[in-house]
Amino acid sequence: MTGGSESSFLDVTDPRAVTLLMRERSRRVLLAFLGRENTVKAAADETGLDLRTLHRDVQALCAAGLLRVGRVQKRGGRGIRFYRAVSDAFFVNHLNTEASDFGEWRGPGAARLDHLFQRAAAREFARALRASGREWGIRLYVTPEAPGYRLDEGDRAAKRTDPLQEWSGPQAAVLVGTPLFELTDAAAREVQAEFIRLMRRARELSRAGTPEQRRPYLLRVGLAPLETDEARGLLRP
């Protein structure tokens, strides 16, 4: 790691430190000592982590140069160590991480949020489906267009239509989709701008109504370019 003042970001380049900062639990532990002194016991109480587990994480953070002992206070005949992060702000260059770490790199609990979204979406869809009394399942059938068949989800009795053209499913307060499109770079930037406007609009709407009228919703959007071999064989929407 290279030096930096408390008002600036400390560049983290040591592989051990980078690895720890890629882990959500290690970050949770470090946050308990960020900008302040704290004891291991108090940090365990704050984070809800097991004391022995947190103590091991503290030792690992110290060995990686992210934590230090700020002072030792005598209490009941023994010395109580107060730890503090070596800086109030850290920076990890993504190029110093592994590509497989990107799920963690996106932010605290990114993998957990992905799992939570899928679980909540499935729960809401199942609720709406039961309320509608309709038959819904996987449909496989021949089409005149390449690749000559289509695999989708739908109502047994519903017409075979693209959900982007006409939705024939139950009315549920959930939206999930991973359609594949072929876009120019300019068109992709336009889609990105629309997503940003959508997220801003959702933030504005989150202030509407009373707290009793609102319920939490998780908005999940994304756009990523694929390599040709990655897209090959994927079914078109």
Side-chain angles (χ1 to χ4, degrees):
M1 292 186 289
T2 58
S5 68
E6 290 191 345
S7 61
S8 62
F9 286 98
L10 180 66
D11 290 319
V12 179
T13 56
D14 184 283
R16 295 175 302 170
V18 170
T19 298
L20 288 172
L21 289 179
M22 287 298 98
R23 298 174 182 167
E24 182 186 357
R25 196 182 76 196
S26 298
R27 290 196 300 266
R28 284 176 60 196
V29 173
L30 183 62
L31 286 173
F33 303 93
L34 197 66
R36 58 183 173 136
E37 291 184 337
N38 210 350
T39 66
V40 171
K41 175 63 169 60
D45 292 339
E46 291 174 14
T47 61
L49 294 172
D50 174 76
L51 181 59
R52 287 180 295 181
T53 298
L54 192 136
H55 187 267
R56 286 196 300 268
D57 287 344
V58 165
Q59 295 306 307
L61 290 166
C62 286
L66 295 171
L67 272 186
R68 59 177 173 80
V69 177
R71 61 189 174 92
V72 179
Q73 179 178 312
K74 292 293 183 179
R75 186 184 300 171
R78 54 192 295 260
I80 303 298
R81 294 185 176 185
F82 284 77
Y83 295 86
R84 180 171 180 148
V86 298
S87 176
D88 290 346
F90 296 92
F91 179 79
V92 182
N93 191 319
H94 180 50
L95 297 179
N96 292 331
T97 70
E98 296 292 334
S100 59
D101 291 332
F102 189 67
E104 281 287 325
W105 175 266
R106 286 181 295 154
R112 180 177 60 84
L113 286 176
D114 285 343
H115 176 72
L116 179 61
F117 178 87
Q118 294 296 341
R119 186 176 66 186
R123 181 179 62 235
E124 170 63 14
F125 188 81
R127 182 207 61 77
L129 187 60
R130 285 191 295 268
S132 71
R134 302 169 69 174
E135 288 188 292
W136 188 272
I138 297 174
R139 307 189 304 182
L140 176 64
Y141 50 92
V142 173
T143 62
E145 302 85 14
Y149 64 90
R150 186 178 181 87
L151 176 66
D152 62 20
E153 290 184 79
D155 190 314
R156 177 198 293 272
K159 60 183 178 180
R160 300 167 183 174
T161 183
D162 188 330
L164 294 179
Q165 298 290 339
E166 181 180 349
W167 174 245
S168 59
Q171 296 304 307
V174 61
L175 178 63
V176 180
T178 53
L180 176 65
F181 302 105
E182 293 184 351
L183 304 170
T184 64
D185 288 344
R189 286 192 290 271
E190 185 176 337
V191 173
Q192 285 178 323
E194 288 290 340
F195 283 165
I196 292 171
R197 283 192 287 269
L198 171 64
M199 289 187 284
R200 288 175 177 168
R201 179 58 177 155
R203 183 175 60 187
E204 293 172 0
L205 292 173
S206 69
R207 304 188 183 104
T210 65
E212 293 76 19
Q213 294 173 320
R214 297 193 292 265
R215 60 179 294 190
Y217 275 83
L218 182 60
L219 177 63
R220 187 170 183 258
V221 295
L223 181 70
L226 300 178
E227 299 294 340
T228 302
D229 61 333
E230 292 174 327
R232 188 178 295 116
L234 292 179
L235 295 177
R236 291 297 191 266

